[in-house]
Amino acid sequence: MLPTERILYSPITDRPRLKLPNGARMAVWVIVNVEEWDAKLPMPRTVLTPPAGGSPSPDIPNWAWHEYGNRVGFWRMLKIFDEFRIPGVLAINGSALAAYPAIVEAAKARRWEFMGHGFTQRNMQKVENEREDIRKTADVIEAATGRRPRGWLGPGLTETWETPDLLKQEGYEYVADWVLDDQPVWLKTTTAPIVNIPYTQECNDVAMMLIQHHKASEYYDRAIDQFEQIYDDAGDSARVMALVAHPYIMGAPHRTRYFRRIFEVIRQKSDVVFMTGGQILDWYLTTGPKAP
Amino acid sequence: MTGSPPMIPRERCEYSAIVDRPPLKLPGGARMVVWTIVNLEVWDIGKPMARQVLPAPTGVPLLPDVPNWSWHEYGMRVGVWRFFDLYKRLAIAPTLSINARVCEDYPRVAQQARDQGWEFMGHAYEQGPIHKETDQKAMIERSMKVIEKFTGKRPVGWLGPGLTQTFDTPEFLAEAGVKYIGDWVYDDEPTVIRTAAGPLVTLPYTVELNDIPMMLVQHHESDHLLKRSIDSFDRLYAESKERPKIMSIAIHPYISGQPFRIKYLEAIYDYVNKHEGVVHWNGEQILDWFEGQAGEAGSKS
């Protein structure tokens, strides 16, 4: 299906008011992306290009740069989640559950939500059997946590025309690939509709640090600008803000302080609630519009 | 080692979360090591340049690339002497990551580093991805020999050009007598990896506090070198209360030796040296310390 067949255009100002529990004005969800990069393939992102260019394989320096995030950076970020009591959402490659068991255990111990994020970190359009990839990811998450994931984020947010249909059929209840709104929305699928929860390419360290090459402080500045505007907008109807971080980026020691300061600021507002994707979904299912 | 299939990184070293390891211990009340690495290279004018500050007007690279060759050459003629002054004044002897051919083409520069007591670390014969070497083993041996002849001491450390490796590079390095490598930037601490020719130690080199990604890839302003180093140092210094930390700074004379950048490099040391418990070590000193630790507490991965 084309996107426009899954969802009709709708201006945010024309919808019935959404209300969060306990008078909260807006919700913030924080997604940590844990990936496994296959040393035999080209790296999904690079910090260092080889001398005189090209892309020789294997690419050990960039593999190791990413691996740092899971050996060291994740643990640095975890302290911040603990300090500010942030309920984390782990968007995790299926293969990463076996590769990084210590991360899985740390997330489980804190009751973080596990979200499917592809079995491997590659474009969903290049995955040979998409349904199997989606199902296998749910299987390994269930095996590790005792619960099938409710949410899905494509690697690099990639989808085929069929992805939402397959996700729904495989038991997923929400997807985060469609960054088209500040509120959850319903997407039609070939069976029952699926919810899309607002994720972000803007407050996302991959875009800011690796593509746009901003200084680490931009992550903080942009998050606060985003937060203040959405907080202001949410006076009429509840909105959701997403914040996305990768351990190999924001877990680098020189960036951590900018990540931490965001929560120092947002935690001062008593009418802002940190939620997981699953909690946002449950709230929307209860109080939002019925599935079309 | 011949005959065994090359290992992928995961076969050389299992995943290990830093929080699950017993902390290492530095001697004499030190809590943090700063490891400075100066990179010296030879850019062969007959080949495409390793980096470019100025792409050709049409965007198509043409040979010879004189503007970018001479931009790099400035580092050897002028920039590196700013480094020598700085480290003499600070009484710091960095690690020199050196293309062996520098000893032949720029003996004046290599002599100065030798005379100031810098550690020579192997960094290929000349600058280019190691994947393109037709005989990697011979190139590594040649590089080690040239440096050994020049300094009288065989290097114990190695950094691939642009940190590049093929899957069998660690075997070639171990066979050549290399003890530590800087190519694996995957931890804050040294680790041990397997090779078919015996273990190799990885030291935490950096692609974050490194002027190539910062200035040439990400195009940050000059003062970002200082800002990012201070941000890193503050975090690592705070963490070093719990376990020792190593902060690496990787610089190139054609980048950080520029007149408009050098003051930010100098200011990093002014900042760092205001703190108690910080030592400046070279790679070999870090290796010796780590090996002593491993002897005390069993193997570390």
Side-chain angles (χ1 to χ4, degrees), chain A residues 36 39 49 51-52 56-58 61 63-65 67-68 70-72 75-76 100 213-215 254-255 257-258, chain B residues 9-10 15 17-18 50-51 129 131 163 167 185-188 208 217-218 220 224 227-228 231-232 234 239:
Chain A
E36 188 189 25
T49 51
S57 182
W63 177 86
W65 166 66
E67 187 75 359
Y68 177 91
N70 293 336
R71 293 176 69 98
V72 185
W75 308 99
R76 192 171 273 138
Y100 308 112
H213 295 151
H214 288 296
K215 290 185 272 196
H254 66 91
R255 292 200 187 90
R257 66 169 26 144
Y258 302 102
Chain B
R10 196 73 81 210
Y15 168 71
I18 192 167
R51 310 278 166 191
H131 304 67
L163 288 72
F167 284 133
V185 292
Y186 74 155
D187 213 287
D188 278 349
E208 294 284 352
V217 180
Q218 299 164 0
H220 289 298
H224 189 57
K227 178 75 180 134
R228 188 184 282 204
D231 285 340
S232 267
D234 286 350
E239 291 176 358

Side-chain angles (χ1 to χ4, degrees), chain B residues 101-130:
Chain B
R101 199 177 143 187
V102 170
C103 299
E104 298 165 351
D105 289 16
Y106 306 92
R108 175 72 182 90
V109 176
Q111 270 159 19
Q112 188 71 27
R114 186 182 61 191
D115 294 348
Q116 286 191 209
W118 294 16
E119 177 203 6
F120 281 54
M121 172 167 77
H123 187 43
Y125 181 70
E126 60 193 357
Q127 198 61 10
I130 210 160

Side-chain angles (χ1 to χ4, degrees), chain B residues 170-205:
Chain B
E171 271 72 28
F172 295 138
L173 294 173
E175 283 174 347
V178 168
K179 304 286 180 222
Y180 79 82
I181 58 171
D183 299 339
W184 288 38
V185 292
Y186 74 155
D187 213 287
D188 278 349
E189 295 176 359
T191 74
V192 180
I193 63 169
R194 288 186 266 290
T195 87
L200 267 183
V201 171
T202 69
L203 295 191
Y205 186 74

